[in-house]
Amino acid sequence: MGHTKEQLLSLLQEHEIEFSQHEHPVVLTVEAQAKYVGHMNGALTKNLFLKDKKQRFYIVSALAETKVDLKVLSQRLGLGKGGLRMAPEEALTEIIQVPLGCVTPFSLVNESARNVSLLLDQRLKTQEYYFFHPLSNDMSIALNLHDLDKFLNSIGKLPAYVDLEADPTVGKDQPPDLAGLVPSGATVLPDPPENKASSQGHEKIPVSVNSKPTVVTAVKSFDAPERRNHVLLRIRR
């Protein structure tokens, strides 16, 4: 089970990381968050949870106004065009263990997220303070660059600040400039649990049709009492 908001706040205090906390209703977007903390001294951030084709995961944390082109970023990481896409919702709960709308660098505090790569917007360095959700989107906490780096170092993550709006040429003589930020290993999501209470039972029966090996899936249908013993044969060759 992942860290709770309370555990994270206690951890920050334990490491003497300074922050201010601001409670508000649950928000799912930067625009909604701005209604409650946008008037305060601090920059709003957007946080993207991404994956590549090899099941490697990334968090991109940027100022709200920074333009992040996933095609360009994919090429800069050496993944080719279209190499990055939004991670599926199940990865939120299995990998970084936070609800929808709660992705931030703080998500990396969970052990299950140890292989997730973090790309920080270089423009964060221009701000005195910025806001992130502390694993829960009913609160925002503000901290400065020094304390963000201090938190990342405390969990063994080396901060990597990137110009996310840059579009350098990538080619034979110009290798991807961000290739070093690609995670070294893939993360495998567990298979979803089987629903033993399913209304259908499946049984594979080996048979032979025209002397060719065939697998038949027998599906017992329980849609209506009068069809309880009916068996449908689906033949795959």
Side-chain angles (χ1 to χ4, degrees), residues 8-219:
L8 173 65
L9 297 179
S10 294
L11 182 65
L12 296 179
Q13 293 172 344
E14 178 184 336
H15 288 282
E16 298 182 346
I17 295 170
E18 295 185 7
F19 64 92
S20 61
Q21 63 187 62
H22 310 276
E23 295 184 356
H24 50 68
V26 170
V27 294
L28 292 175
T29 64
V30 175
E31 292 77 15
Q33 183 188 26
K35 295 178 181 179
Y36 303 102
V37 298
H39 62 286
M40 299 179 183
N41 183 26
L44 297 176
T45 63
K46 59 185 176 185
N47 299 269
L48 309 176
F49 186 40
L50 310 171
K51 68 178 286 289
D52 64 24
K53 295 179 181 179
K54 294 186 178 180
Q55 299 299 316
R56 295 172 298 201
F57 292 87
Y58 309 75
I59 289 177
V60 174
S61 294
L63 292 181
E65 61 270 19
T66 296
K67 297 178 181 178
V68 181
D69 188 321
L70 294 187
K71 290 184 178 180
V72 172
L73 188 56
S74 295
Q75 290 183 304
R76 295 178 66 189
L77 289 165
L79 306 175
K81 292 182 178 180
L84 285 177
R85 63 196 67 185
M86 298 302 294
E89 189 169 342
E90 58 265 26
L92 287 170
T93 55
E94 295 291 345
I95 304 299
I96 57 176
Q97 300 192 52
V98 297
L100 188 67
C102 299
V103 178
T104 71
F106 293 126
S107 308
L108 300 179
V109 72
N110 293 315
E111 177 63 21
S112 55
R114 64 186 179 277
N115 292 326
V116 176
S117 182
L118 175 65
L119 283 71
L120 295 164
D121 186 359
Q122 185 173 302
R123 290 171 177 78
L124 289 172
K125 294 183 176 183
T126 67
Q127 305 297 316
E128 185 175 1
Y129 294 96
Y130 21 82
F131 290 102
F132 293 110
H133 293 311
L135 307 181
S136 177
N137 52 359
D138 60 356
M139 177 185 289
S140 296
I141 64 175
L143 74 171
N144 61 24
L145 183 77
H146 170 76
D147 286 304
L148 176 61
D149 288 354
K150 192 174 181 180
F151 162 74
L152 293 172
N153 286 320
S154 75
I155 61 171
K157 283 285 184 181
L158 185 65
Y161 291 90
V162 176
D163 183 356
L164 293 171
E165 292 190 344
D167 187 6
T169 301
V170 175
K172 182 179 179 181
D173 300 322
Q174 296 168 306
D177 63 317
L178 302 181
L181 298 179
V182 174
S184 58
T187 302
V188 180
L189 289 173
D191 293 330
E194 294 183 1
N195 185 2
K196 295 182 180 180
S198 173
S199 62
Q200 290 188 333
H202 295 264
E203 180 182 2
K204 290 187 176 180
I205 307 171
V207 299
S208 178
V209 178
N210 295 330
S211 299
K212 294 182 179 180
T214 307
V215 174
V216 176
T217 301
V219 182

Side-chain angles (χ1 to χ4, degrees), residues 197-203 217-234:
S198 173
S199 62
Q200 290 188 333
H202 295 264
E203 180 182 2
T217 301
V219 182
K220 298 178 182 179
S221 174
F222 303 116
D223 294 338
E226 64 272 15
R227 302 170 67 183
R228 187 173 298 278
N229 297 318
H230 185 59
V231 175
L232 302 177
L233 295 183
R234 297 177 180 168

